[in-house]
C-alpha cells in the first residue's frame, strides 16, 4: 500500500511540475529583454531539475519494489509507465537542457533574433508537455487502470494518447515558431496571451473529450456479454506454460486457435456425465425448498430474505462416508437457483454452477444432488445463480460432515455463520439471525467447538477472549498439533472461509464476537459457567492469527513437488471500465474481466501451481471450486507450515503461491468470493482438456453463474 501511495504522490507532483515547465516554456519567446529570457530559463532549469529528482525517486521506488516483491508486482509498471515517462525525460535531459543553458544570456537589450528563434523552438514546450502528460497518465493508471501485464497494444495506446493530446500545442507552437523566424512580433499583451493559452487549452480538452467518448463507445460494445457461451473460447486460453493440451490441438499437432477439439474420442467426457459413482442408494436424503420469506432478526429488524426452507442458514448434518441426496425445489425465486457446495470437492456435475455443471432450477422445477460425503469438516452451501444477489439475500446454509472417527473431543458445539443482512433498519451483521449478543451456559472444564463460517462478502475479524483457544481446522481441513493461542489473538476469515475453534471452559466467562473490540453493534456470544455477566468485556487484540506458521506443516504431493506441470499467474488489479456494456470500477485478473480472462487449461493428473499477486486497492478471497489448494509461499517466501484452503484471502500488496493436483475432472470456477467483484467479471474457469461442455451460460439459457 505504501509503495502505491508513494507512487501516486510522486507522479502527481511530477505532472504538476512538468506542467508548470511546459507553460513557462510556452512563455519563453515573449521575453522582451535578454534578462527576462535569462530569468525564465533559469526558473525552467530549476523546475526541470526538481521534476527529474522526483522521477528518479519514483524509478527508485519501483526498483525497491522489484527487489522486495515479485517481478509480477512491477512488470506492468516497468513495461508500460516507465518507457512512457522515460522517453520525454531523456529527451529533455539530452536535448532541451543544453538549449536552456544557452538561452541564459544576460543583458538588458532585447534578445537577438537567433536567441528568440531558439526560444520559440516547439520541441522545448512539447517535450515538457509530453513529460507532464506521461506523468499524469502514470498517476491515473496507478489508481484507475493498473498496468497489469500490459500487452504491446496497451503500451502503444498510451504513447498514441500522448501524441494525440500534443497535437493542439504542436500546431500552435509551430505557427508561432514560423512567425518568430520570419521576424514578426508576437502578441505582446498579457490578456491576449492568456486568451491564446485558454483557446489552446479548450482545444486540447476537446481532443481529450473526443478520445474519451471514443473509448466509452468502444468499451460499451466490447464488454457486452454474449447471449450464450459454452465456455470453450479458444481465443482466451492459458495452458500455464505446460505441454500443449487438446484444447490447443496439442494432441494432434494442430495449432489453429479456432479449431474445435478433436472430434469426440472415447477419452472425452461431458460435464453432465461427471457425477461420480452414485449407483448406491442414499443414506441420507434432504429437501431444500428455495423460497422468499420475511424473517426477523433478534433485534426486531426485518429481512426480506430469499431462503432455503424458509430458514436462515439451515444445517445439513451428515456422517463422513454417507451417500447424500439433496433435492432442491424452487418455489418462487424467479431467476432460478442452484446449490453450490462451497469448498466441498464433489464430482463436477454436482457442483451447482448454472451453465457449467447444470441448468438453473426455475420456479416449479427441481434438481437432485447426490454425492458421497468423502471429506469431514465444516462447509457451507449457497446458490450460484446470480450469487452476488442471491447469497446476500440469504440463499445459503451449512454443511457439517462429522468424521467417521472423531479424534477431537468436545462437549459442546456451536455453528456461527456470519452474514450482513439488508434489513428495514439498514445493514445489520449477525450470526445467523442473531444480530445481538447471546448467552450460553457451559460447565467449567467442558470443551467447546465453534464452527465459524464467513458468509459475508468482505473479510471479518473475530475475537475470543477469556480462554486460550486452538484453531483446529481451516476450510474443513484439520490442522495437526495446533498450538494454543492467547486470547489476545484475533483471527480473520475471508469471504467463504471457515475456521473450527476449540477452547476449554474456564471458571470465568468467555466472550466471542465479530469485529473490533470497540464495535459494540456487532453480534457475539457470552459463554458463562456460574452467573451470567450482563455485558461482554473486550480488549483490543495484540496479534492476529497467522496460518502460515501454525501447527504442523501439511505434507502432500504438491509440497513434495519440485516441479509443476503448469504454472499460472493471477494478477489482481482494478480498472475503471465496462462490464456487459455498463461502466464499473472493475476488479481485474491479469488486466481483464470475464470473459476475456483466459481459461486455465489442465490435464488430469497435472501438478498445478498458481501465483496470486494483489496489486489492486482491495482484498480478494480467491476461491477455487472442486479442489483444495495448498499454500506454499507468501510474499515470495516459503511458508513455515503449508496449509490447505479453498478460499484464500489475498490482501492488498500480498502475493501467494498455491498448488493443487488436477484430480477432479470438469469445468470449475475460480473466482473472487467477494461476490460483487465476481459479478463484474473477477472470475475465470479451470478446464480439464478432455472435458466437453453440457450446458450454456448467458441470457439465452438464463444460466447466470455470477
Ligand atoms: Cu462460494 Cu463459486 O462460490
Ligand atoms: Cu475481489
Amino acid at each position: 500500500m505504501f509503495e502505491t501511495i508513494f507512487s501516486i504522490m510522486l507522479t502527481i507532483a511530477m505532472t504538476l511540475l512538468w506542467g508548470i515547465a511546459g507553460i513557462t516554456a510556452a512563455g519563453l519567446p515573449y521575453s522582451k529583454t535578454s534578462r527576462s529570457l535569462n530569468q525564465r530559463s533559469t526558473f525552467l532549469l530549476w523546475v526541470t531539475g526538481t521534476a527529474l529528482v522526483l522521477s528518479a525517486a519514483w524509478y527508485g521506488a519501483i526498483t525497491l519494489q522489484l527487489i522486495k516483491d515479485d517481478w509480477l508486482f512491477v512488470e506492468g509498471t516497468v513495461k508500460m509507465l516507465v518507457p512512457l515517462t522515460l522517453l520525454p525525460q531523456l529527451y529533455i535531459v539530452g536535448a532541451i537542457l543544453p538549449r536552456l543553458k544557452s538561452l541564459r544570456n544576460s543583458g538588458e537589450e532585447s534578445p537577438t533574433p537567433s536567441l528568440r528563434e531558439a526560444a520559440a523552438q516547439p520541441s522545448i514546450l512539447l517535450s515538457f508537455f509530453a513529460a507532464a502528460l506521461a506523468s499524469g497518465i502514470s498517476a491515473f493508471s496507478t489508481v484507475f487502470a493498473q498496468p497489469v501485464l500490459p500487452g504491446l497494444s496497451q503500451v502503444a495506446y498510451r504513447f498514441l494518447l500522448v501524441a494525440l493530446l500534443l497535437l493542439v500545442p504542436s500546431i500552435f507552437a509551430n505557427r508561432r515558431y514560423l512567425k518568430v523566424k520570419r521576424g514578426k512580433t508576437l502578441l505582446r499583451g498579457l490578456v491576449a496571451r492568456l486568451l491564446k493559452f485558454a483557446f489552446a487549452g479548450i482545444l486540447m480538452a476537446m481532443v481529450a473529450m473526443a478520445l474519451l467518448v471514443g473509448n466509452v463507445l468502444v468499451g460499451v460494445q466490447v464488454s457486452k456479454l454474449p447471449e450464450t457461451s459454452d465456455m470453450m473460447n479458444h481465443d482466451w486460453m492459458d495452458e500455464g506454460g505446460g505441454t500443449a493440451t487438446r484444447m490447443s490441438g496439442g494432441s494432434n499437432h494442430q495449432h489453429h486457435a479456432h479449431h474445435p477439439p478433436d472430434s469426440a474420442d472415447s477419452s472425452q467426457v461431458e460435464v453432465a456425465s461427471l457425477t461420480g459413482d452414485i449407483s448406491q442408494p442414499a443414506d441420507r436424503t434432504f429437501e431444500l425448498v428455495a423460497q422468499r420469506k420475511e424473517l426477523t432478526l433478534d433485534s426486531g429488524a426485518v429481512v426480506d430474505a430469499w431462503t432455503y426452507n424458509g430458514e436462515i442458514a439451515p444445517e445439513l448434518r451428515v456422517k463422513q462416508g454417507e451417500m447424500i441426496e439433496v433435492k432442491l425445489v424452487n418455489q418462487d425465486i424467479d431467476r432460478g437457483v442452484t446449490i453450490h457446495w462451497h469448498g466441498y470437492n464433489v464430482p463436477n456435475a454436482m457442483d451447482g454452477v448454472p451453465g457449467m455443471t447444470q441448468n438453473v432450477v426455475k420456479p416449479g422445477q427441481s434438481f437432485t444432488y447426490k454425492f458421497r460425503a468423502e471429506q469431514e469438516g465444516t462447509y457451507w452451501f449457497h446458490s450460484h445463480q446470480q450469487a452476488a444477489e442471491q447469497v446476500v439475500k440469504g440463499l445459503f446454509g451449512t454443511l457439517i460432515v462429522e468424521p467417521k472417527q472423531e479424534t477431537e473431543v468436545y462437549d459442546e458445539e456451536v455453528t456461527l455463520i456470519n452474514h450482513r443482512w439488508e434489513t428495514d433498519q439498514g445493514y445489520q451483521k449477525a450470526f445467523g439471525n442473531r444480530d445481538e449478543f447471546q448467552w450460553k451456559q457451559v460447565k467449567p472444564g467442558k470443551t467447546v467447538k465453534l464452527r465459524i463460517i464467513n458468509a459475508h462478502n468482505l473479510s471479518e475479524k473475530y475475537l475470543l477472549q477469556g480462554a486460550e483457544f486452538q484453531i483446529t481446522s481451516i476450510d474443513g481441513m484439520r490442522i495437526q498439533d495446533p498450538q494454543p493461542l492467547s486470547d489476545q489473538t484475533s483471527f480473520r476469515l475471508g469471504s467463504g472461509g471457515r475456521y473450527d475453534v476449540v477452547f476449554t471452559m474456564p471458571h470465568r466467562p468467555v466472550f466471542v464476537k465479530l469485529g473490533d473490540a470497540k464495535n459494540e453493534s456487532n453480534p457475539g456470544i457470552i459463554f458463562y459457567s456460574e452467573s451470567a455477566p450482563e455485558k461482554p468485556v473486550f480488549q483490543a487484540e495484540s496479534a492476529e492469527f497467522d496460518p502460515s506458521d501454525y501447527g504442523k506443516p501439511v505434507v502432500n504431493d504438491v509440497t513434495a513437488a519440485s516441479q509443476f506441470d503448469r504454472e499460472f499467474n493471477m494478477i489482481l488489479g482494478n480498472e475503471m471500465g465496462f462490464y456487459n456494456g455498463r461502466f464499473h470500477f472493475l476488479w481485474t485478473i491479469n488486466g481483464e474481466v470475464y470473459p476475456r480472462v483466459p481459461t486455465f487449461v489442465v490435464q488430469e493428473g497435472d501438478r498445478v501451481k498458481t501465483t496470486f499477486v494483489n496489486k489492486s486497492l482491495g482484498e480478494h478471497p480467491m476461491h477455487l471450486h472442486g479442489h483444495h489448494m495448498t499454500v506454499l509461499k507468501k510474499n515470495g517466501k516459503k511458508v513455515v507450515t503449508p496449509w490447505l484452503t479453498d478460499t484464500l484471502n489475498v490482501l492488498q500488496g500480498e502475493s501467494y503461491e498455491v498448488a493443487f493436483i488436477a484430480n477432479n475432472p470438469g469445468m470449475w470456477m475460480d473466482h473472487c468470493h467477494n461476490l460483487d467483484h465476481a459479478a463484474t467479471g473477477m472470475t475465470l474457469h479451470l478446464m480439464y482438456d478432455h472435458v466437453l461442455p453440457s450446458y450454456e451460460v448467458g441470457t439465452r439459457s438464463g444460466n447466470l453463474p455470477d
Side-chain angles (χ1 to χ4, degrees):
M1 198 66 188
F2 171 73
E3 289 88 347
T4 313
I5 294 172
F6 193 58
S7 293
I8 295 167
M9 277 171 17
L10 282 174
T11 42
I12 289 177
M14 283 157 61
T15 312
L16 289 175
L17 284 174
W18 287 127
I20 292 170
I23 291 168
T24 314
L28 279 178
Y30 297 105
S31 312
K32 280 187 204 137
T33 61
S34 289
R35 210 170 84 173
S36 75
L37 184 60
N38 185 340
Q39 281 168 351
R40 281 187 166 127
S41 314
T42 309
F43 176 71
L44 254 181
L45 283 169
W46 276 104
V47 175
T48 305
T50 317
L52 287 174
V53 168
L54 292 188
S55 96
W58 183 44
Y59 296 143
I62 296 169
T63 314
L64 257 181
Q65 209 175 3
L66 180 60
I67 296 168
K68 215 178 79 189
D69 290 332
D70 211 279
W71 162 240
L72 291 171
F73 267 105
V74 285
E75 181 174 6
T77 312
V78 168
K79 284 188 179 165
M80 186 193 279
L81 303 181
V82 170
L84 189 70
T85 49
L86 199 60
L87 212 68
Q89 296 186 130
L90 282 180
Y91 185 77
I92 289 171
V93 172
I96 304 297
L97 283 185
R99 262 187 257 170
L100 285 179
K101 278 188 201 139
S102 68
L103 287 177
R104 294 165 70 188
N105 197 347
S106 57
E108 277 305 323
E109 67 291 350
S110 60
T112 61
S114 72
L115 261 185
R116 286 190 51 213
E117 200 185 310
Q121 283 280 353
S123 60
I124 302 183
L125 72 107
L126 289 180
S127 53
F128 286 128
F129 279 136
L133 287 170
S135 309
I137 289 173
S138 299
F140 182 87
S141 298
T142 309
V143 188
F144 297 113
Q146 290 183 349
V148 169
L149 294 180
L152 200 60
S153 66
Q154 278 173 285
V155 180
Y157 172 75
R158 275 160 179 82
F159 273 101
L160 193 71
L161 198 65
V162 173
L164 283 172
L165 287 169
L166 283 179
L167 217 57
V168 174
S170 76
I171 292 168
F172 275 82
N174 253 314
R175 285 187 40 190
R176 203 178 56 181
Y177 175 62
L178 293 177
K179 250 186 179 176
V180 172
K181 209 174 165 187
R182 278 192 234 109
K184 291 201 185 130
T185 47
L186 296 174
L187 289 171
R188 279 288 158 89
L190 187 63
V191 176
R193 246 157 68 196
L194 283 179
L195 277 177
K196 206 160 182 186
F197 272 20
F199 183 55
I202 289 168
L203 280 183
M204 259 180 100
M206 280 166 63
V207 173
M209 233 8 218
L211 287 171
L212 190 71
V213 170
N215 245 324
V216 169
L217 290 179
V218 172
V220 166
Q221 281 314 315
V222 169
S223 74
K224 286 222 172 101
L225 293 177
E227 239 174 77
T228 178
S229 153
D230 66 358
M231 308 272 138
M232 295 280 278
N233 194 315
H234 291 252
D235 291 334
W236 294 312
M237 265 180 14
D238 183 350
E239 293 177 318
T243 51
T245 67
R246 234 185 264 259
M247 295 272 294
S248 60
S251 56
N252 57 0
H253 302 287
Q254 282 166 340
H255 291 285
H256 307 290
H258 288 280
H259 202 280
D262 319 337
S263 43
D265 61 53
S266 57
S267 62
Q268 287 185 302
V269 286
E270 266 202 41
V271 166
S273 70
L274 292 167
T275 58
D277 178 8
I278 46 172
S279 53
Q280 298 294 309
D283 301 306
R284 306 290 306 276
T285 54
F286 299 92
E287 188 174 85
L288 290 174
V289 181
Q291 54 192 285
R292 294 162 179 261
K293 185 85 190 259
E294 200 169 90
L295 294 164
T296 311
L297 305 181
D298 274 4
S299 66
V302 177
V303 184
D304 230 336
W306 295 2
T307 67
Y308 293 114
N309 291 354
E311 292 167 47
I312 287 183
E315 177 187 90
L316 305 184
R317 184 174 280 264
V318 301
K319 274 244 149 49
Q320 187 179 19
E322 285 177 333
M323 183 68 88
I324 317 295
E325 204 176 273
V326 181
K327 184 175 178 195
L328 166 67
V329 181
N330 183 358
Q331 188 174 300
D332 55 4
I333 308 296
D334 295 342
R335 290 289 182 85
V337 292
T338 66
I339 297 175
H340 164 60
W341 311 94
H342 181 112
Y344 214 70
N345 303 336
V346 295
N348 194 225
M350 299 298 156
D351 196 44
V353 178
M356 283 175 68
T357 69
Q358 68 172 97
N359 280 317
V360 69
V361 181
K362 297 264 171 67
Q365 297 180 339
S366 70
F367 184 93
T368 302
Y369 299 88
K370 190 173 179 187
F371 56 89
R372 199 171 283 286
E374 309 274 14
Q375 308 153 256
E376 57 95 7
T378 306
Y379 291 87
W380 68 303
F381 59 87
H382 60 78
S383 177
H384 221 297
Q385 169 82 346
Q386 298 196 313
E389 182 183 18
Q390 299 201 347
V391 177
V392 168
K393 287 213 151 124
L395 278 167
F396 60 82
T398 63
L399 172 65
I400 310 294
V401 184
E402 294 173 350
K404 270 190 197 138
Q405 248 157 28
E406 185 53 274
T407 48
E408 207 174 291
V409 274
Y410 51 87
D411 308 292
E412 300 270 348
E413 190 190 331
V414 184
T415 302
L416 295 173
I417 181 163
N418 65 274
H419 193 58
R420 190 185 72 168
W421 299 102
E422 205 182 328
T423 77
D424 57 344
Q425 291 161 38
Y427 288 117
Q428 200 59 44
K429 286 184 179 177
F431 284 123
N433 62 333
R434 325 223 38 181
D435 56 344
E436 293 179 335
F437 264 85
Q438 37 180 317
W439 279 256
K440 198 169 164 50
Q441 190 168 19
V442 177
K443 290 218 174 72
K446 296 273 179 211
T447 311
V448 181
K449 179 184 174 89
L450 307 175
R451 297 179 185 268
I452 304 179
I453 306 167
N454 183 4
H456 179 38
N457 270 343
L458 299 173
S459 72
E460 292 282 15
K461 183 201 276 184
Y462 307 80
L463 301 177
L464 189 162
Q465 298 185 351
E468 278 188 336
F469 62 92
Q470 291 163 295
I471 293 183
T472 56
S473 282
I474 296 179
D475 291 350
M477 295 287 162
R478 297 268 172 147
I479 306 284
Q480 298 307 319
D481 291 343
Q483 55 267 38
L485 296 161
S486 127
D487 74 341
Q488 293 305 295
T489 315
S490 68
F491 47 97
R492 181 173 285 279
L493 280 178
S495 173
R498 288 95 56 214
Y499 278 170
D500 286 1
V501 178
V502 171
F503 68 90
T504 304
M505 190 65 200
H507 285 276
R508 54 185 178 150
V510 171
F511 304 115
V512 175
K513 87 180 284 288
L514 184 70
D516 273 320
K518 296 189 292 277
N519 191 334
E520 285 180 18
S521 66
N522 279 349
I525 305 195
I526 297 168
F527 293 94
Y528 66 96
S529 46
E530 284 100 36
S531 61
E534 239 169 70
K535 256 177 45 161
V537 192
F538 286 97
Q539 290 168 336
E541 74 278 10
S542 55
E544 188 171 289
F545 170 69
D546 176 9
S548 71
D549 187 3
Y550 188 67
K552 271 211 185 127
V554 162
V555 177
N556 59 23
D557 288 349
V558 292
T559 57
S562 55
Q563 261 181 17
F564 294 89
D565 301 300
R566 301 187 189 275
E567 299 187 5
F568 298 104
N569 293 328
M570 284 171 90
I571 302 179
L572 315 174
N574 49 254
E575 214 174 292
M576 301 237 273
F578 296 87
Y579 184 71
N580 201 13
R582 291 179 58 185
F583 183 75
H584 283 282
F585 190 83
L586 296 177
W587 303 94
T588 58
I589 301 172
N590 298 337
E592 301 283 2
V593 289
Y594 172 80
R596 253 168 226 80
V597 192
T599 293
F600 290 172
V601 183
V602 299
Q603 288 178 318
E604 193 168 359
D606 280 348
R607 284 160 304 184
V608 184
K609 188 173 96 177
T610 305
T611 306
F612 298 109
V613 172
N614 187 352
K615 288 192 64 162
S616 81
L617 307 174
E619 60 168 26
H620 303 287
M622 300 308 294
H623 173 50
L624 170 64
H625 287 205
H627 309 74
H628 269 75
M629 311 174 271
T630 307
V631 183
L632 302 175
K633 280 188 182 174
K634 178 178 180 179
N635 298 334
K637 281 189 220 73
K638 279 201 170 142
V639 295
V640 182
T641 54
W643 79 96
L644 286 158
T645 174
D646 52 62
T647 321
L648 181 66
N649 202 36
V650 186
L651 301 182
Q652 205 278 336
E654 280 184 348
S655 70
Y656 283 98
E657 249 177 60
V658 303
F660 64 90
I661 303 285
N663 56 6
N664 196 2
M667 292 169 84
W668 303 99
M669 289 198 84
D670 192 351
H671 64 97
C672 177
H673 215 275
N674 181 330
L675 299 168
D676 291 329
H677 295 183
T680 50
M682 198 175 203
T683 175
L684 60 75
H685 303 101
L686 174 73
M687 178 80 194
Y688 283 65
D689 77 331
H690 68 297
V691 172
L692 298 171
S694 305
Y695 308 97
E696 60 172 66
V697 163
T699 47
R700 188 173 84 181
S701 56
N703 290 325
L704 305 166
D706 303 300

